[in-house]
Amino acid sequence: MQKLISILLICCNFSALAQKEYPFQNGEQLEYKIHYGPIDAGKASLKVVKEEGNYWFIAEGKSTGFFNLFFKVRDSYESIIDANSLCPIHFNRSVREGSYKKKENVFFNQLSHQAESTRDTISLPENHQDILSVFYYLRSQNLDKFQPGDTIAIQVYLDDEFMSSNLSYVGRDTLKTKFGRISSTLWAPQLELGRVFDEKYGMKIWVSDDENKIPLRVETKILVGSIKMDLTAYRGLKKPLKLTNSK
């Protein structure tokens, strides 16, 4: 799950963000099936809760079937952000992937400009999100003016540090899904080589080209093999998912 969530490292400048309507809402839920090569490897889900002026984003992932027998995964991520500014407030994750286990808890202190975790305290860069909230921050942006080759600079928190990268806009595509054909925008994040991925631009992300801007598919090459994640169910979307007759 950590590897899958890592594909979501997408962010823009906070100073450009004003209060507005977002494409997600309280009660939105997205469900995905994860494939490791030809093997059905697991399931993942994303959920949005809004309470007391904050958004609470929840991501969970687990291995299933044959894959679960030799590599058990039980991961959970939680991110709390301010509903007006989309500034992160608190991030928590619990990761179990085979023999690897890790827990992380960090508070983003906007007054002292520090990220304060259970292990370290580091300065906040100007443009910052955690590894889960950055995905929703992307969805809040106006992507209509992007041209193929345009990039977005990103700074994302994970493992007591901020990772710098870029997201490259590839163009528009029509994706065949279980729901029908859906117009989408295609993105290629620049990734940190050697950490999880084996190619600088070894990942592709399809996002619905409608008012919801939900991720439809993720494909990535990792150090051993490849992973694909497809949307299988959705509930509580702000707008109906838009299908197309285009081929």
Side-chain angles (χ1 to χ4, degrees), residues 109-143:
N109 191 327
Q110 303 295 335
L111 294 178
S112 63
H113 304 288
Q114 293 179 324
E116 303 166 354
S117 76
T118 51
R119 289 180 297 273
D120 199 4
T121 297
I122 61 175
S123 298
L124 293 177
E126 182 178 352
N127 308 319
H128 60 276
Q129 290 281 349
D130 63 62
I131 200 168
L132 177 57
S133 67
V134 66
F135 157 60
Y136 293 92
Y137 188 77
L138 167 70
R139 292 176 61 188
S140 74
Q141 304 306 302
N142 183 356
L143 307 176

Side-chain angles (χ1 to χ4, degrees), residues 160-210:
D160 300 310
E161 64 178 329
F162 285 95
M163 297 181 291
S164 299
S165 187
N166 290 289
L167 178 74
S168 177
Y169 174 61
V170 178
R172 284 177 164 78
D173 192 13
T174 299
L175 187 67
K176 185 178 180 180
T177 73
K178 64 170 290 185
F179 313 104
R181 295 183 180 273
I182 302 178
S183 295
S184 61
T185 55
L186 180 58
W187 302 83
Q190 178 185 353
L191 308 169
E192 186 177 353
L193 300 182
R195 186 184 182 105
V196 175
F197 308 97
D198 65 350
E199 294 184 13
K200 184 177 181 180
Y201 287 95
M203 179 185 299
K204 294 184 289 186
I205 305 172
W206 286 261
V207 177
S208 64
D209 191 15
D210 62 4

Side-chain angles (χ1 to χ4, degrees), residues 74-86:
R74 296 293 185 270
D75 292 352
S76 66
Y77 295 73
E78 297 179 2
S79 176
I80 300 175
I81 68 167
D82 180 85
N84 290 325
S85 67
L86 293 192

